[in-house]
Every structure is written in structure tokens, then in C-alpha cells.
Amino acid sequence: LSGKENVCTSRDTTKKDYRSLMMQKIMQAGAPEIIKGSHNPEDWESNGAPLGEDKIGKLYEVEVDLSGKVVWREVVDTPPDPKAHERFGIAGSFNSWSSSPMAEVPGLHGLFAAEITIGESGAEYFYILGDEDVGQVYYPALPRCTRKLVDVRGPTTVLGNPEEHAWCIHGQPGSRFRVEFQITKRSVLVTWLRIAEALQA
């Protein structure tokens, strides 16, 4: 009788079930952050799992960062409102996440612009503030986003590391970029150009 070695591959056993892994991370998450806007606990807000009967049936986006921190956000499918804010500001790593005003571009209603300078790290992060209010943040659908064609979310409050909810511009230290934010009844767009390119456009 001749025998043949029974070889067992690990192809199937190592196939990752990403849904199960994500659920495991969500279940193992630590205590959520609590925003105490007043002394009344009923007014407090949290970025943790939604509780209460009023949350049943609603859709949520769950974000897990590298540290294992979990943030829950309700997904609200509402069209943008160009009249929701009288002005806009830009906050980022270049101004310690405080608000710098954006100027409305003459002749182009709903288009706002600001200029930023790339620091020594070669990268700057930013998001947009409606009415220059930190509770009215417009941010990209992807963390540390370097893409211009990406869904814009908000306005809402963001918690945790602001760089995780921001666009990122890479460039030579000292180079200047023009950041543009446009809001219409149909869409919200964020883009940027190096100043030399913006002048030629």
C-alpha cells in the first residue's frame, strides 16, 4: 500500500471575518466621551452607542480608530442648506484648531476661500466650521483624507483627535495653498490648489 501525506492548508482558517472583528472591537471599546453642556444630565451628549427607544430604527455610522476608541454618529440624509450659516471658518493644525475666517468669493455665491501655509512637517490638517462654530463642523467621510472627491459630512460636533476628521494637504514646507469650500442646495464641496496654480486658473 502506498500512502500520501495529508496536507492541511490554512487558507480557509485564516480568512478574516471583518464583520466579526469589527463587532468585537465595538464590544470591547472603553467608556465613551460625555459632553456636559449643562448641569442637567438630560442635556448631556455622548459619542457612545445609542440608547433609548427613540433610537430604534435609526441608522448609525461607527468609527473605530487605531487606539480602539469607538465613535457612533447618526446618519441623517438631509440636503445641504446654503442658508444655514452666515459665514464659514477654517480650523486646522496650522492655527491650533481655532477658527480663521473664510472670505466669500465675489460673484460666486456659496463659495468661500482661505489660504494656509504648510509647516515644517510637510502636512496640514483642516476642517470647515459653519458660523465659525466648533459645534458645526464639516468634515470628510474618510479619516485624514487627502482626496478632494469625497463625501462631506456635517455640520456636527466631532470628538477625539481632530486630525481623524480632517482633510490633509501635503506640500513643501512654506508652500501656500488656497482652500475652497462651496455649499449649494445639491452638494458640499471642498478642494484646494497651490497658490501658484490658483493664480493661473
Side-chain angles (χ1 to χ4, degrees), residues 9-23:
T9 66
S10 59
R11 181 178 303 167
D12 293 332
T13 60
T14 59
K15 186 177 180 179
K16 294 183 178 179
D17 183 347
Y18 289 101
R19 180 180 178 86
S20 296
L21 289 175
M22 177 62 75
M23 290 301 299

Side-chain angles (χ1 to χ4, degrees), residues 8 19 53 55 76 90 97 111 116 121 179 188 191 193 196:
C8 179
R19 180 180 178 86
E53 294 184 358
K55 306 299 182 182
V76 181
I90 184 171
W97 298 98
L111 178 62
I116 67 172
S121 67
V179 176
V188 180
T191 188
L193 291 170

Side-chain angles (χ1 to χ4, degrees), residues 88-90 94 101-106 108-116 126-129 138 147-150 152 167 169 176-184 187-195 197-201:
F88 292 90
I90 184 171
F94 48 86
M102 301 185 77
E104 187 167 13
V105 178
L108 295 173
H109 186 68
L111 178 62
F112 297 80
E115 295 181 4
I116 67 172
F126 72 92
Y127 50 50
I128 306 300
L129 302 176
Y138 290 87
R147 297 166 50 189
K148 301 175 184 179
L149 297 179
V150 67
V152 179
W167 287 273
I169 300 178
R176 293 182 60 77
F177 284 79
R178 171 187 167 109
V179 176
E180 296 183 347
F181 173 83
Q182 185 173 34
I183 181 168
T184 69
S187 65
V188 180
L189 300 173
V190 172
T191 188
W192 55 89
L193 291 170
R194 283 206 320 152
I195 294 298
E197 297 172 351
L199 293 175
Q200 295 173 1

Side-chain angles (χ1 to χ4, degrees), residues 83-147:
K83 298 181 180 180
H85 310 288
E86 295 182 357
R87 63 189 187 281
F88 292 90
I90 184 171
S93 52
F94 48 86
N95 63 2
S96 301
W97 298 98
S98 60
S99 180
S100 298
M102 301 185 77
E104 187 167 13
V105 178
L108 295 173
H109 186 68
L111 178 62
F112 297 80
E115 295 181 4
I116 67 172
T117 301
I118 303 297
E120 295 181 356
S121 67
E124 296 293 347
Y125 296 84
F126 72 92
Y127 50 50
I128 306 300
L129 302 176
D131 291 326
E132 300 187 61
D133 182 353
V134 294
Q136 299 292 312
V137 178
Y138 290 87
Y139 65 99
L142 301 176
R144 300 175 181 265
C145 182
T146 59
R147 297 166 50 189

Side-chain angles (χ1 to χ4, degrees), residues 59-63 71-75 139 141 153:
L59 180 65
Y60 286 83
E61 169 191 84
V62 184
E63 176 184 312
V71 176
W72 292 68
R73 295 191 185 90
E74 183 179 351
V75 177
Y139 65 99
R153 295 179 178 166

